[in-house]
Amino acid sequence: MSVEVGTDSETGATTETVTGGDTSEQSSIGSLSDLDAIGLAYGAVGTGVFLAIWQTAAMAVGRTYLLPSPVEVATAFLVELTAPTSFTVPFVEISVPATRLVANLLQSLLHYLPGLVVGSVLGIALGVAMGWSGRLDDALTPVTRFLRPIPPLAWIVFAIVWIGIGHGGAAFIVGIGAFWINFYNAYAGVEGVSTHLREVASTLGVDDDLTMIRKVILPAATPSIATGVRTSIGQCWMIVVAAELFGAPGVGFQIINAAQNLATDVSVAYMAVISLVFLVSDGAFRRVERRALAWRD
Amino acid sequence: MAGLRDGPKAEADGASDGSAVATPKVVVDGVDKVYESDRQRVEALSDVSFTVSEGEFVCLVGPSGCGKTTLFRTIAGLEAPTGGEIRLDGEAVTGPGTDRGMVFQEYGLFPWRTVRGNVAFGLEEQGIEEPDRSRRIDEMLELVGLDEFADAYPKELSGGMKQRVGIARALAVDPEILLADEPFGSVDAQTRDMLHEELLRIWSETGKTVLFVTHDVEEAVKLSDRVVVMAADPGRVREVVDVDIDRPRKRTDPAFAEYVDRVRGLIGE
């Protein structure tokens, strides 16, 4: 089992290759609503065939812990979705009723969201700053080039000694992942703004850097920045699973924990949770993006 | 088309208006531009001098490589001359500014802004508040005939329409002169003819001084009061031709053809 999980964490770390692959995958998912009826029918057939093969294989194997069948996974999913438990709201320390699945999802969100938000904001800020200022770019490029290939999970030692195991440490790891993805997209976006548009703005009275950044650079770089944010929304879920290896509670921890107890049906059910959460958040972001960036060609 | 600004420049104009001769609005005075690198030295402009009077329509024509775009950028303040200077209303140009409204061949519209938003850009920078800003935008869009497309994004517009936005945006800030660099170079011939008529109408309605760069001799003869003919290697002024034909000008007019031939001859086409 641990081998599989290890692969997962690697995937989360090698952001660039995964990003490229993900983008095409995401676009096919995102355009689901635009598909015609025939396309939908094909999709249904493909899904049916996939599930049938899976079910047949699982029945042939005959042991749930080796390969849980889709029915078993669905059952486990429903059990987790409905089994009552409680969730302690952080800071206020109030316990509220929840189901196991919801509680685990909330636990993951407690480090996923802060990590994603803080990492993205810092990454965008540095990316814009370095994309804008040639001097800063020259000064920091050696550092960023060197630090960037390090997988987020490699920083786990510092996450543990500085912050400790738990939400803080996991958020730190997620934040590092979000930081680099957003840094590079923001940087490329700002660098790609045509000098022509900047010149046009200067002939229209823009004569200071801040105004130029606010009124020309940022709007022009927004599509690239948005791509970074969208990519990190997906990538950070992969990092969450890896980060929770080290004991932070949440969906990823459940995947590992259940698998170690040979409850692989529960493990796969939580994998499905990550998929679903990703699909929903990515779809929602795309919707917002499409509307906000309607001006794009 | 009353100016939004009553700046010091307008007053200066009035003061220096004593002479009977038309006020030189733009003075290009011995401008040199040399690009030097380790390996070579390119003389893009060599001792270029001419003047443009208030309200005049002047075209700069020349073969490619004659430095007309470099000159345009220098007048715009986007590049500094290596010698000589450019004066607008007697003041040396040191950088870009809203006293020169710029129209570019590639339009340079902000794609994330609507037509209205593009026209608003310079007005925002000038600190013109609502409702004056909206009034000015409406006025400009009406001038270029785009009032119905106020809320469209640039990607939804044809090339000709984009350039009308470009003109509206440049004029919105009420510049002293309108500078255009091959503005109709990317539109088809029919649209170009229409835009010529429109530009001439806008010119006569606003009374702006226009400096128009083109490589199209017919375009230059059709539009301008005077044609500054440039030559290449190094970029310099060959001759300034006064076009003395009444408007509207027709290409079929023999006088028109004569001017075209003459200018072409000067260029060496």
Side-chain angles (χ1 to χ4, degrees):
Chain A
M1 281 319 133
S2 59
V3 176
E4 275 173 42
V5 175
T7 317
D8 247 354
S9 64
E10 268 170 34
T11 322
T14 52
T15 26
E16 198 164 42
T17 41
V18 174
T19 308
D22 253 17
T23 316
S24 55
E25 202 178 305
Q26 284 164 11
S27 49
S28 61
I29 294 163
S31 57
L32 196 61
S33 56
D34 310 330
L35 288 177
D36 56 325
I38 296 168
L40 279 176
Y42 271 96
V45 169
T47 311
V49 169
F50 171 74
L51 289 174
I53 292 172
W54 178 8
Q55 181 73 35
T56 313
M59 282 160 71
V61 170
R63 289 181 192 148
T64 300
Y65 71 91
L66 280 180
L67 180 62
S69 72
V71 174
E72 285 164 334
V73 169
T75 311
F77 186 92
L78 286 176
V79 169
E80 293 299 307
L81 186 64
T82 49
T85 180
S86 64
F87 174 75
T88 307
V89 182
F91 303 117
V92 290
E93 303 298 330
I94 298 170
S95 190
V96 292
T99 70
R100 279 215 290 267
L101 193 152
V102 170
N104 279 314
L105 188 56
L106 289 172
Q107 294 284 10
S108 282
L109 286 173
L110 278 178
H111 44 262
Y112 170 84
L113 282 178
L116 177 69
V117 170
V118 174
S120 300
V121 167
L122 293 179
I124 292 169
L126 186 67
V128 170
M130 280 175 67
W132 170 256
S133 161
R135 289 280 159 78
L136 193 64
D137 190 17
D138 292 340
L140 293 183
T141 292
V143 182
T144 54
R145 285 244 176 103
F146 188 79
L147 290 181
R148 202 248 151 186
I150 300 172
L153 206 60
W155 298 100
I156 194 79
V157 183
F158 293 105
I160 292 169
V161 296
W162 289 346
I163 306 167
I165 299 170
H167 290 305
F172 178 77
I173 301 295
V174 170
I176 288 174
F179 177 85
W180 288 117
I181 297 168
N182 284 287
F183 167 76
Y184 273 98
N185 277 279
Y187 178 83
V190 170
E191 266 217 319
V193 178
S194 74
T195 39
H196 184 50
L197 282 185
R198 285 161 56 172
E199 286 182 354
V200 171
S202 70
T203 67
L204 287 168
V206 175
D207 54 6
D208 64 294
D209 286 4
L210 272 183
T211 311
M212 187 65 85
I213 290 173
R214 192 168 53 84
K215 295 194 76 172
V216 179
I217 304 297
L218 284 181
T222 302
S224 180
I225 293 172
T227 303
V229 172
R230 183 157 47 74
T231 309
S232 56
I233 284 175
Q235 287 298 309
C236 283
W237 276 111
M238 314 212 177
I239 300 171
V240 159
V241 176
E244 289 177 3
L245 261 174
F246 293 87
V251 175
F253 181 77
Q254 287 309 312
I255 293 174
I256 298 146
N257 191 41
Q260 277 168 352
N261 295 327
L262 297 185
T264 43
D265 50 345
V266 177
S267 186
V268 177
Y270 275 103
M271 291 184 196
V273 170
I274 288 194
S275 247
L276 290 174
V277 169
F278 167 75
L279 287 177
V280 169
S281 52
D282 186 64
F285 188 81
R286 275 169 180 286
R287 201 166 265 247
V288 173
E289 197 183 11
R290 230 192 327 251
R291 201 162 285 190
L293 300 178
W295 53 267
R296 275 187 301 188
D297 286 327
Chain B
M1 196 49 56
L4 283 177
R5 294 181 308 163
D6 289 320
K9 277 173 187 147
E11 286 161 31
D13 274 346
S16 61
D17 217 354
S19 62
V21 189
T23 326
K25 192 74 182 169
V26 184
V27 178
V28 178
D29 188 2
V31 167
D32 299 317
K33 179 75 189 181
V34 178
Y35 294 99
E36 257 173 307
S37 69
D38 297 341
R39 285 171 293 118
Q40 57 180 1
R41 183 172 186 279
V42 178
E43 209 171 355
L45 295 172
S46 172
D47 194 23
V48 173
S49 297
F50 62 90
T51 62
V52 182
S53 305
E54 172 96 58
E56 210 181 4
F57 198 130
V58 171
C59 276
L60 276 173
V61 294
S64 56
C66 71
K68 51 191 192 299
T69 291
T70 304
L71 183 58
F72 168 85
R73 291 176 56 81
T74 312
I75 298 170
L78 297 170
E79 284 185 40
T82 42
E85 69 173 9
I86 285 153
R87 290 188 295 277
L88 176 62
D89 289 320
E91 261 179 66
V93 165
T94 52
T98 49
D99 48 0
R100 285 144 291 156
M102 312 290 295
V103 182
F104 301 88
Q105 180 177 1
E106 326 82 275
Y107 319 120
L109 301 184
F110 303 112
W112 59 89
R113 284 178 169 241
T114 60
V115 167
R116 167 171 284 279
N118 268 280
V119 179
F121 193 98
L123 298 170
E124 292 165 13
E125 291 313 298
Q126 288 184 327
I128 291 160
E129 302 290 341
E130 297 293 356
D132 292 348
R133 195 197 298 164
S134 283
R135 204 178 305 136
R136 179 73 178 167
I137 295 167
D138 292 338
E139 195 184 328
M140 286 300 121
L141 292 180
E142 201 178 322
L143 182 72
V144 298
L146 278 179
D147 16 0
E148 281 172 35
F149 295 90
D151 297 316
Y153 283 106
K155 69 164 180 181
E156 300 165 86
L157 305 178
S158 68
M161 287 160 91
K162 281 182 189 162
Q163 200 52 286
R164 285 195 246 168
V165 180
I167 293 169
R169 182 177 65 178
L171 287 173
V173 295
D174 196 28
E176 295 294 321
I177 64 166
L178 189 66
L179 273 172
D181 184 16
E182 308 221 10
F184 309 138
S186 308
V187 299
D188 61 85
Q190 264 179 318
T191 312
R192 186 153 53 228
D193 277 344
M194 207 170 67
L195 288 168
H196 285 158
E197 299 308 324
E198 281 201 40
L199 182 62
L200 287 172
R201 176 181 56 79
I202 290 167
W203 172 59
S204 67
E205 275 179 32
T206 61
K208 292 286 177 209
T209 308
V210 180
L211 189 54
F212 189 107
V213 176
T214 179
H215 66 270
D216 180 343
V217 174
E218 286 197 18
E219 182 171 57
V221 172
K222 185 165 177 204
L223 294 174
S224 53
D225 295 323
R226 286 192 301 146
V227 180
V228 176
V229 184
M230 294 184 70
D233 299 316
R236 61 196 187 277
V237 176
R238 168 149 290 169
E239 198 169 323
V240 179
V241 178
D242 288 312
V243 182
D244 195 12
I245 317 175
D246 290 337
R247 293 188 175 89
R249 295 172 181 165
K250 291 205 164 52
R251 287 175 206 276
T252 47
D253 183 346
F256 188 97
E258 261 172 53
Y259 275 108
V260 170
D261 284 347
R262 190 172 150 207
V263 173
R264 284 209 172 121
L266 287 167
I267 294 173
E269 275 181 12

